[in-house]
Amino acid sequence: MSFVYPYFLFALSAIAVPIIIHLFNFRKYKRVYFSDVTFLKEVKLQTQSINRLKHLLILLCRILAVLFLVLAFAQPYLPLNENKIKAGEKNISIFIDNSFSMEALNTNGNLLEQSIKNAKEIVMAFSPSDKFQLLTQDFEARHQRLVNRDAFIELLNEIKISAASNSFKDISARQLDAIKNAKGEKNIFVLSDFQKESYKFNELKNDTTANFYLARIEANQPANVYIDSIWFSNPYRQANAPEELNVRICNLSTSDLENIPLKLTINQQQKAISSVNIEAQKCVETKLNYVSNDNGIQNGSIEITDYPITYDDKFYFSYKVISKINVLSIDGEAASNPLSMLYKNDSLFNFYSFSEKNIDYSSFKNVDLILINNLKSISSGLNQELTKFVANKGSLVVFPGTDCDVLSYNTLLQNTSKLKITALDTTDRKVDYLDFKHPLFESVFEKNPEKIDLPKVANYYSTSLASNSACEKIMRFSNNEVFFSLSNFQKGKIYFSAVPLNEEYSNFSKHALFVPLLYKIALNSVPQQELYQLINKNNSIKISDFNSKNDNVFHIANANNSFDIIPETRINNIEANLFTHNQIKEAGHYFVKSANETIQGIAFNYNRTESKFEFWNDTEIEEEIEKNNLSNFKIVKSTEKNLATVISEINAGIKLWKYCLLLALLFIAAEIILIRFWKS
C-alpha cells in the first residue's frame, strides 16, 4: 500500500489525545457507609469491571476513528503498476483511431463511436484541472496542444472517419511531442482496433517519461470484400482497340462468396459487367474486356457492393488514349526505308524523316521514337543528342549502316547499352530464339508456336556485352549472339539490330515479324501515366504533355471544381513533377489543369492497408510489449467495469481513502452508541 500524501501520516500522533484523556480522566467518588457491605462489595467489583471494558471499547473506537481519518487525508492506494502516484496536475494525450477499419461493428455498435465514448470516460476519470491532448489519424495542427477537459470534449465530438492511416511509431512520437514540455505526470492513451499492418511494436522505443495505456476496441468476426488493385494486360492504350483490364478482389470473410457483381464504367458509361466467386480468406483475379472508342482522357471505375466496410468497394483509374505517335527516321544516303511504308500508312503515327546531312536536333523533344537507318557514321553531335533523347524517356532503334564506321556506333552503344560491335560476320546464320514472353510480342501470337520461321541472315554485325550489361536479347542466334536487343538507359530505351535494313544482309525487313515488332516498339515509346494514386502518400505526379516554355501554374481540381489546389511543382525540359503533400483526402477523379487547359486526368484511391483485417489480440499485445521491452506500456482490459474505473485503477491504483473515511465515521458512530446506550 502506498500514499498520495504520506506527510499526513505525521498526524497519527493525534492518537495520543484519546489515550491521554482515557488515562487522566479521574472521577471523584462519594463515600457512603453501610452496616454490612459484603453484598455491596461484590456488586461494586462487577460494575467496575464492566465500566473498564466499556471505556476500553470507547478508547479503541476513538483511536481507530483518528487513525482512519488521518489515513483518509493521506489517500492510501494499492498500486497496480510500478509507478507511484504523483500529486499535482496531470497531462493526458489520447489517440482516437478514426481510420476506415473503425467503421466495423461489434455488439455495441460502431467502433469509432465506442472509442469516442471511451475517451470521454477516460477524461472524466481525471481531475478537471488536468490538461488533455487529442490526436487522430489526420494529425491536425489544432490537435497538437493541451486543452482543458471541456475543450477536449468539444474536439472529441468533431471526429469523423478519415482516409488517413499512420504507423504506431509516428502516432506515439506525435503524442510524446505534444506533452514532452509539460510539467507533471504524463499519460498517453491509444484507443484503436490495433491492426497488425499499422501497429508494429518492434518499431517503438521505450520512453520512460510517459506511461502508455493501450485500449483495444474489438470488432465482430471481421468480414470485408474489397477491390485490391487493377492493371492492364498491355502497357499502352489505343483508340478503338480491345482492352483487357485485370482486377484483383479479396474476400476476408469466413464464408465463400458466389456471383459477386462487378461493374466497369468509363467516362460515366457502363462498359462491362461480370461476376466473381471468391473463397473465404482468398483473393481472385478476373479480367474485364472492352473497347476504348475515344481519344483523350478516360476516367474509369470498378465497383462491387459490400457492407459495412464500403470505402474500398469502388476503385478509380484514369488514363489517356493516344491520338498520335511521333516517329522520326534519320536515314543514310541511298537507304531503303521500309519503315516509311509501315508508319505512313497508319493514321496513329506522325512519320517524318531527315537525311544524315540535314538533321533538326530541336525537333527531338517532340518525338516519341527515333530510328537510325543505314548511317555511315554517327557524329559526336548526333551521339550527344541521341544520348540525351534516350535519357529523357525517348526510344531509339539502331539499324546500322552497311560497311559502317564501327567506332562511332560503339561510342553511342557502349554509353547507353554496354553493347559493342566487334566485327562484320559474313557467315550464313538463322535466328533460333525469340522471347515469346517479352511485352513486344504480347498478343502477336494466339499461342506460342512449337515451330516458327525466324529471319535468315547472310551478314551481320557480331557483338559483345559488358559484364554489367542488362541487355535483353529479344532475338538471338544459336551462338548466343544478339540479333535484336533492348537496353534501358535512364528513363528511355535503346533497341539494336545486328543487321541493316538491307536484303543483302538478311530477310528481316521482309519477314512477318518485322511489322508487329516495329509497331509494338512505337506503341511502347509513348510514356504511360500511372493508372491511379493512393491517398495518404506524398504523391509525385509526372506530367510530360505540356509546354515548358510557358510559365506553367498547375492546378489539381475535381470535375465540378469544388476542390482546387496548386501543388508544389518541379519542372525540367522534359516533364513536370507535381507533389500533392497529402492535400487530397477523398477518392475520385481529378484533373491537372494549366491556363484553363485540361492536361491530364488523375485517379485517387484510398489505401487498401485498412482493408486487411488482421488485428492484435490482448494476449499478443502483451507478448509484443514484453518481447520489445516496452516497460512503460500497459494494455487496458475493460470487462465488467466501465473504462473510467479501469483507467482510474491503473492510473491511480485502487484508492482506499473513501473506505478509510467510512471506517472513521463508523467508529465515531460506534463511540456515540457506546456512550449513549451502554449504561454503567
Side-chain angles (χ1 to χ4, degrees):
M1 184 171 69
S2 301
F3 299 90
V4 178
Y5 302 104
Y7 294 109
F8 273 100
L9 295 178
F10 287 113
L12 288 175
S13 58
I15 293 175
V17 175
I19 296 175
I20 293 171
I21 293 173
H22 178 79
L23 293 176
F24 293 95
N25 186 22
F26 300 108
R27 290 187 60 183
K28 294 183 179 179
Y29 296 96
K30 183 179 180 181
R31 185 172 294 182
V32 179
Y33 294 93
F34 288 90
S35 57
D36 188 356
V37 296
T38 305
F39 178 73
L40 184 62
K41 187 175 183 180
E42 183 179 343
V43 173
K44 180 179 179 182
L45 289 173
Q46 184 179 1
T47 302
Q48 283 182 341
S49 176
I50 292 173
N51 282 341
R52 187 177 296 109
L53 176 61
K54 174 184 175 181
H55 291 158
L56 288 174
L57 290 174
I58 292 172
L59 175 62
L60 181 62
C61 287
R62 289 172 177 172
I63 291 173
L64 292 175
V66 172
L67 171 65
F68 285 111
L69 187 62
V70 171
L71 291 177
F73 280 98
Q75 294 192 22
Y77 65 92
L78 296 175
L80 297 182
N81 56 40
E82 297 83 1
N83 303 310
K84 290 192 174 183
I85 307 303
K86 300 176 183 178
E89 185 180 278
K90 295 179 175 61
N91 305 281
I92 302 95
S93 173
I94 301 178
F95 169 74
I96 304 291
D97 185 355
N98 61 332
S99 60
F100 279 125
S101 64
M102 297 294 283
E103 283 185 319
L105 304 174
N106 62 17
T107 53
N108 296 320
N110 181 279
L111 299 190
L112 178 60
E113 293 175 357
Q114 292 176 57
S115 296
I116 294 172
K117 176 178 174 290
N118 290 343
K120 290 179 180 178
E121 291 181 0
I122 291 172
V123 298
M124 297 308 295
F126 288 90
S127 169
S129 62
D130 293 332
K131 296 297 182 182
F132 303 89
Q133 183 245 346
L134 175 65
L135 185 67
T136 66
Q137 293 279 13
D138 298 298
F139 282 8
E140 295 182 70
R142 64 188 181 127
H143 288 164
Q144 199 63 17
R145 59 190 180 92
L146 292 165
V147 297
N148 59 35
R149 188 160 70 183
D150 292 338
F152 178 89
I153 292 175
E154 287 182 13
L155 293 173
L156 204 59
N157 293 330
E158 298 173 3
I159 296 178
K160 296 179 181 179
I161 284 288
S162 169
S165 179
N166 297 286
S167 68
F168 196 11
K169 178 182 178 181
D170 292 339
I171 291 167
S172 59
R174 193 96 173 186
Q175 289 184 282
L176 283 167
D177 186 62
I179 62 175
K180 65 180 179 181
N181 295 323
K183 296 180 179 179
E185 186 178 322
K186 300 176 179 66
N187 298 298
I188 290 175
F189 295 89
V190 178
L191 280 66
S192 173
D193 53 11
F194 287 93
Q195 264 188 314
K196 290 185 177 180
E197 189 74 18
S198 301
Y199 290 81
K200 301 185 185 300
F201 290 85
N202 59 347
E203 296 178 350
L204 302 178
K205 293 182 179 179
N206 192 43
D207 194 305
T208 58
T209 62
N211 304 314
F212 285 81
Y213 301 106
L214 313 180
R216 188 175 68 91
I217 294 90
E218 183 176 4
N220 289 337
Q221 183 66 39
N224 186 30
V225 181
Y226 67 95
I227 302 173
D228 178 74
S229 56
I230 65 164
W231 66 96
F232 281 101
S233 297
N234 292 322
Y236 50 85
R237 315 274 68 78
Q238 185 180 354
N240 300 316
E243 300 284 10
E244 187 176 72
L245 182 64
N246 299 275
V247 185
R248 178 180 170 86
I249 305 173
C250 296
N251 173 20
L252 296 185
S253 68
T254 55
S255 57
D256 297 344
L257 300 176
E258 296 182 352
N259 298 321
I260 299 175
L262 188 64
K263 181 174 71 173
L264 168 64
T265 302
I266 303 290
N267 290 339
Q268 301 181 345
Q269 293 182 355
Q270 184 171 300
K271 287 288 186 178
I273 57 173
S274 181
S275 62
V276 293
N277 301 326
I278 317 177
E279 296 180 18
Q281 302 298 317
K282 298 286 186 180
C283 294
V284 298
E285 295 176 6
T286 186
K287 299 180 185 296
L288 296 172
N289 296 286
Y290 69 100
V291 174
S292 293
N293 297 322
D294 302 314
N295 293 320
I297 296 171
Q298 309 293 309
N299 287 326
S301 64
I302 299 173
E303 191 171 359
I304 59 173
T305 302
D306 179 40
Y307 181 81
I309 307 298
T310 59
Y311 84 93
D312 50 14
D313 294 347
K314 194 169 186 178
F315 205 99
Y316 299 92
F317 61 98
S318 183
Y319 61 92
K320 196 171 186 177
V321 174
I322 53 178
S323 56
K324 292 289 183 181
I325 298 176
N326 297 314
V327 179
L328 169 63
S329 177
I330 302 176
D331 303 323
E333 292 183 0
S336 63
N337 198 344
L339 302 170
S340 63
M341 299 299 294
L342 167 63
Y343 294 120
K344 274 187 175 180
N345 294 334
D346 195 322
S347 60
L348 177 62
F349 303 105
N350 280 329
F351 180 81
Y352 51 102
S353 62
F354 295 138
S355 71
E356 60 181 325
K357 296 180 179 180
N358 186 26
I359 303 174
D360 180 8
Y361 294 144
S362 64
S363 65
F364 284 15
K365 64 183 178 182
N366 298 319
V367 174
D368 301 303
L369 173 64
I370 295 179
L371 302 117
I372 299 298
N373 178 26
N374 200 38
L375 296 187
K376 177 70 174 176
S377 65
I378 299 176
S379 67
S380 59
L382 179 58
N383 186 344
Q384 183 178 354
E385 292 298 325
L386 289 175
T387 302
K388 185 190 300 182
F389 169 76
V390 176
N392 291 322
K393 299 196 298 186
S395 292
L396 173 66
V397 182
V398 177
F399 291 102
T402 58
D403 191 24
C404 68
D405 178 9
V406 171
L407 182 61
S408 66
Y409 272 83
N410 282 341
T411 303
L412 172 65
L413 294 173
Q414 287 185 285
N415 287 340
T416 55
S417 60
K418 308 295 183 184
L419 181 144
K420 180 182 179 181
I421 298 174
T422 55
L424 179 64
D425 193 324
T426 58
T427 307
D428 288 348
R429 292 189 182 276
K430 186 175 181 179
V431 177
D432 77 336
Y433 172 81
L434 181 137
D435 186 358
F436 291 104
K437 296 181 180 180
H438 197 278
L440 291 177
F441 294 110
E442 284 184 1
S443 73
V444 171
F445 305 98
E446 290 185 2
K447 61 179 181 179
N448 294 348
E450 294 182 4
K451 293 183 179 180
I452 182 173
D453 178 37
L454 294 173
K456 296 178 181 179
V457 175
N459 304 291
Y460 74 97
Y461 286 102
S462 177
T463 58
S464 64
L465 294 173
S467 59
N468 60 343
S469 173
C471 177
E472 300 176 45
K473 298 178 182 179
I474 299 173
M475 301 168 73
R476 68 173 183 242
F477 298 112
S478 57
N479 62 359
N480 202 34
E481 284 194 28
V482 167
F483 174 76
F484 197 88
S485 67
L486 164 63
S487 300
N488 294 310
F489 176 67
Q490 295 187 21
K491 298 179 181 179
K493 301 173 182 177
I494 179 166
Y495 302 86
F496 174 75
S497 170
V499 295
L501 294 178
N502 188 306
E503 293 183 36
E504 295 179 2
Y505 277 69
S506 78
N507 68 341
F508 185 36
S509 62
K510 299 291 185 179
H511 196 275
L513 285 173
F514 182 75
V515 171
L517 177 62
L518 271 292
Y519 195 85
K520 284 291 193 72
I521 287 174
L523 290 174
N524 279 275
S525 67
V526 179
Q528 298 295 322
Q529 71 178 76
E530 294 185 36
L531 287 177
Y532 57 88
Q533 304 281 341
L534 294 180
I535 289 174
N536 201 36
K537 287 189 175 181
N538 187 20
N539 306 89
S540 174
I541 302 165
K542 295 181 180 179
I543 309 294
S544 55
D545 187 12
F546 72 100
N547 190 344
S548 60
K549 291 183 179 180
N550 295 338
D551 293 330
N552 298 97
V553 178
F554 294 101
H555 291 250
I556 296 179
N558 58 7
N560 58 12
N561 291 317
S562 60
F563 175 89
D564 191 325
I565 63 170
I566 299 177
E568 178 191 348
T569 305
R570 301 174 190 171
I571 300 177
N572 57 38
N573 292 329
I574 300 300
E575 64 184 15
N577 287 280
L578 312 183
F579 297 89
T580 60
H581 296 297
N582 297 327
Q583 295 181 79
I584 295 176
K585 304 292 185 183
E586 187 174 344
H589 294 115
Y590 295 81
F591 298 93
V592 177
K593 299 181 178 182
S594 178
N596 297 321
E597 178 187 359
T598 300
I599 298 174
Q600 183 172 304
I602 320 171
F604 279 87
N605 289 292
Y606 298 123
N607 199 318
R608 265 40 182 181
T609 300
E610 290 292 314
S611 301
K612 300 170 184 176
F613 279 13
E614 296 180 353
F615 306 97
W616 298 107
N617 59 38
D618 288 344
T619 303
E620 289 173 332
I621 292 176
E622 288 176 338
E623 291 173 354
E624 288 294 310
I625 289 173
E626 183 178 356
K627 183 171 68 175
N628 294 286
N629 298 316
L630 302 173
S631 59
N632 272 35
F633 284 70
K634 306 292 178 185
I635 184 167
V636 178
K637 299 178 182 178
S638 179
T639 51
E640 298 85 5
K641 303 175 184 178
N642 63 37
L643 190 60
T645 304
V646 175
I647 293 296
S648 179
E649 289 181 357
I650 289 179
N651 184 56
I654 300 176
K655 297 179 180 179
L656 303 176
W657 68 269
K658 292 181 180 179
Y659 301 106
C660 292
L661 186 59
L662 288 173
L663 287 171
L665 293 174
L666 178 65
F667 286 117
I668 290 173
E671 178 193 355
I672 294 172
I673 292 171
L674 287 172
I675 293 173
R676 177 167 295 184
F677 298 103
W678 189 337
K679 301 297 183 181
S680 300

